[in-house]
Amino acid sequence: MKIHLWSPGFDPSDGGIQAYSHELRRALTAIPAVTRIASIERGSSVATFIGKASWRALRERPDWIFTTHRNFLPLAKWLRKFTGSKVAASLHGIEAWHAPPYHLRIADLLLPVSTFTRDRVAAALGETIPRMELLANTFDAERFFPGDAPAGLRHRHALPPGAPVLLTVGRLDANETYKGHDQVLQALPAVLERHPQCRYLIVGAGSDRSRLELLRDRLVLGNSVIFTGRVSAEELPDYYRLSDVFVMPSKGEGFGIALLEAMACGIPVIAGYKDGCHDALRGGELGRLVDPDRPEEITQAIFDALDTRPGASVPVAKYFGRDAFHHRLEEIINSCAA
């Protein structure tokens, strides 16, 4: 089977879809039924991507075009007329939930990353639903595992000795304000009453940072909140290891790869139950699910996590490790080949 893989990018440090695309490409190369794979990155120029993807598809006529973002579907539909290629599209979160139904019906196969995304898309599509196969996210266990963070990292951010550290990792995009930073900030004054030296690290960059900084100032949180900016892929695991609790009470995550990374590094996680994070925590089996609209519930979950540290490790690799991802993907590919 010849596959063309289209993605916005393959650098895991650029975001969840890019991390997923990296793992998908890696897994495809190890599946015997896949005889050839060509990965094509959108990059900064859409016109260049369209030209390159079209030329290669017309020339090589792949059996399948796999896209990791639904925005590629119209181009894939046009090319299918000339190449006969079938089309598969990964569905992550908000980009899929808000897609016009006719847009998603272009695909021969849809690959939602969570039951939450699958169910929302299925409800929007109504009776005419393409084939759907669940393919949950995974993580790199060679990078994310328990350990001690370098002492210099604590010094860099002026963290007091022994101070508990809360962490959220994610893009700070003004169009994606659902990750729960606001809710953690609103819960923090109560946390500081019990843990005055607690620090909240916000890892990520984007257009929403200035608004969050204003909220921090209105709540008079001062240096208890630290914006680190974007962190390199090499350093990211150490930020998890530096922290005592990962907290992301989101309301619009399609899955939440950062939750897997945090659990793999051995720290307890808190997430909202109203989105795909429910899947990542297996309904609360692997971590604490809270109502993201109730700051007092988030506060209590933080107290409980800090009072019971260091938390017991959870079997995140069993359900979401690369072996599980590879096995599930191979099942899907073999069914496609048949």
Side-chain angles (χ1 to χ4, degrees):
M1 179 190 295
K2 295 183 294 184
I3 292 178
H4 279 195
L5 176 60
W6 298 354
S7 171
F10 296 95
D11 183 349
S13 65
D14 284 341
I17 293 179
Q18 289 82 353
Y20 173 93
S21 301
H22 170 80
E23 294 294 339
L24 182 62
R25 178 172 64 178
R26 183 181 185 278
L28 284 171
T29 60
I31 295 176
V34 179
T35 57
R36 183 175 182 183
I37 177 172
S39 55
I40 305 171
E41 182 176 344
R42 182 190 63 199
S44 58
S45 171
V46 175
T48 299
F49 167 79
I50 291 174
K52 183 177 180 180
S54 300
W55 179 80
R56 293 199 63 174
L58 293 168
R59 179 171 177 264
E60 299 171 11
R61 297 183 179 274
D63 299 296
W64 282 83
I65 296 173
F66 275 61
T67 72
T68 61
H69 196 291
R70 60 96 169 171
N71 283 348
F72 295 123
L73 284 172
L75 176 61
K77 177 184 179 181
W78 179 78
L79 287 170
R80 184 169 55 190
K81 298 177 182 179
F82 306 98
T83 65
S85 306
K86 292 187 176 182
V87 178
S90 302
L91 305 179
H92 302 276
I94 194 168
E95 93 293 339
W97 306 338
H98 295 167
Y102 70 86
H103 202 150
L104 298 181
R105 292 191 183 110
I106 291 170
D108 299 286
L109 172 65
L110 296 174
L111 300 172
V113 299
S114 65
T115 58
F116 185 83
T117 288
R118 180 196 64 195
D119 294 346
R120 284 198 61 162
V121 169
L125 289 175
E127 295 182 358
T128 308
I129 303 176
R131 176 183 167 195
M132 300 179 77
E133 297 284 353
L134 189 67
L135 181 63
N137 280 299
T138 186
F139 67 96
D140 183 356
E142 296 178 1
R143 293 177 55 221
F144 298 99
F145 52 85
D148 296 323
L153 191 58
R154 180 172 286 272
H155 177 74
R156 181 192 307 175
H157 295 296
L159 302 177
V165 177
L166 311 180
L167 174 70
T168 304
V169 175
R171 285 193 312 273
L172 306 183
D173 191 325
N175 295 316
E176 300 178 3
T177 59
Y178 52 73
K179 291 186 180 292
H181 298 96
D182 297 58
Q183 286 82 353
V184 180
L185 290 172
Q186 290 164 7
L188 202 55
V191 175
L192 291 171
E193 288 183 10
R194 185 180 297 188
H195 300 280
Q197 291 190 315
C198 182
R199 297 293 185 268
Y200 175 36
L201 294 184
I202 297 178
V203 171
S207 55
D208 199 38
R209 174 168 172 168
S210 57
R211 184 188 67 83
L212 291 172
E213 288 176 330
L214 288 173
L215 178 57
R216 174 201 60 189
D217 295 342
R218 283 203 303 272
L219 294 170
V220 197
L221 295 173
N223 62 1
S224 297
V225 180
I226 300 168
F227 292 85
T228 71
R230 180 175 175 174
V231 168
S232 69
E234 292 74 23
E235 274 201 315
L236 181 58
D238 286 327
Y239 275 86
Y240 289 116
R241 297 177 189 124
L242 176 69
S243 305
D244 297 285
V245 184
F246 184 86
V247 54
M248 190 172 74
S250 64
K251 293 186 283 187
E253 279 291 309
F255 186 89
I257 294 178
L259 296 170
L260 303 185
E261 295 171 348
M263 289 187 285
C265 289
I267 65 172
V269 299
I270 299 168
Y273 68 71
K274 295 184 176 181
D275 59 12
C277 293
H278 188 276
D279 282 49
L281 297 189
R282 289 181 56 84
E285 175 185 347
L286 303 182
R288 179 79 169 264
L289 290 169
V290 297
D291 185 340
D293 293 317
R294 297 185 61 192
E296 67 277 8
E297 192 170 322
I298 298 169
T299 301
Q300 187 58 54
I302 292 171
F303 288 157
D304 292 344
L306 291 177
D307 291 343
T308 58
R309 56 181 174 169
S313 60
V314 296
V316 61
K318 174 183 176 180
Y319 301 111
F320 301 112
R322 279 177 165 173
D323 287 345
F325 182 83
H326 180 280
H327 178 71
R328 177 61 181 144
L329 179 61
E330 188 166 25
E331 288 180 338
I332 296 169
I333 292 297
N334 288 340
S335 69
C336 291

